[in-house]
Amino acid sequence: LQKSLRETFGADQYSRARKEVLTYMFSRPMQMALYFCTGVLGDETLFHHYALNVPFYTHFTSPIRRYADIVVHRLLSASLGARSPLKMEKEAIQKQADHCNDRKMASKRVQELSADLFFSIFVRVRP
């Protein structure tokens, strides 16, 4: 598979872009993670991370990247006693999580459409 992919990517100025688009298309069917407030969900099995096989999981990146990551950092800091608790009800946190999920889905859809367009052009011009 790897050899076939390398041949498909080629060695011209667009090879890196082709690699990124095709790699993205291969990972597309994977289920997308969703933000949620644990205080709203009663079923702790929903906190499980399937691929890592851990019962409780939270994910975040640098808080300069996304608002959801800022919220996770603040909640984690408060739970560790490094800062005061957020003065937000769990329903308000869930509402923000829902909004972040909606924006993430919209962004993913635009990314998919862009990749589809690039791929169709790639297939059309590929000898």
Side-chain angles (χ1 to χ4, degrees):
L1 179 62
Q2 190 64 30
K3 181 182 174 199
S4 175
L5 286 175
R6 259 184 269 131
E7 291 171 3
T8 302
F9 299 151
D12 61 9
Q13 65 187 28
Y14 300 110
S15 61
R16 184 169 183 222
R18 279 193 293 275
K19 178 181 179 181
E20 288 181 24
V21 169
L22 292 173
T23 301
Y24 168 76
M25 291 177 82
F26 294 142
S27 64
R28 204 174 183 176
M30 297 173 70
Q31 184 179 1
M32 201 163 110
L34 296 174
Y35 296 108
F36 61 90
C37 177
T38 58
V40 173
L41 299 179
D43 184 2
E44 287 188 359
T45 62
L46 296 173
F47 307 164
H48 182 261
H49 190 287
Y50 176 78
L52 297 176
N53 195 27
V54 292
F56 298 101
Y57 178 82
T58 189
H59 171 83
F60 55 90
T61 60
S62 169
I64 63 171
R65 292 192 58 213
R66 294 183 295 234
Y67 179 70
D69 296 319
I70 293 170
V71 173
V72 172
H73 274 253
R74 289 176 180 166
L75 290 168
L76 185 57
S77 292
S79 72
L80 296 173
R83 65 166 287 151
S84 59
L86 294 180
K87 294 178 175 31
M88 292 177 67
E89 296 294 323
K90 58 187 174 186
E91 291 77 13
I93 294 171
Q94 182 59 47
K95 187 175 180 179
Q96 288 184 350
D98 291 339
H99 178 73
C100 289
N101 289 332
D102 289 343
R103 297 296 84 218
K104 190 165 73 165
M105 291 292 233
S107 174
K108 182 175 173 56
R109 184 66 185 134
V110 169
Q111 186 179 13
E112 288 172 352
L113 291 170
S114 176
D116 289 347
L117 176 63
F118 181 88
F119 185 70
S120 65
I121 292 169
F122 166 68
V123 169
R124 185 178 300 158
V125 300
R126 187 84 176 158

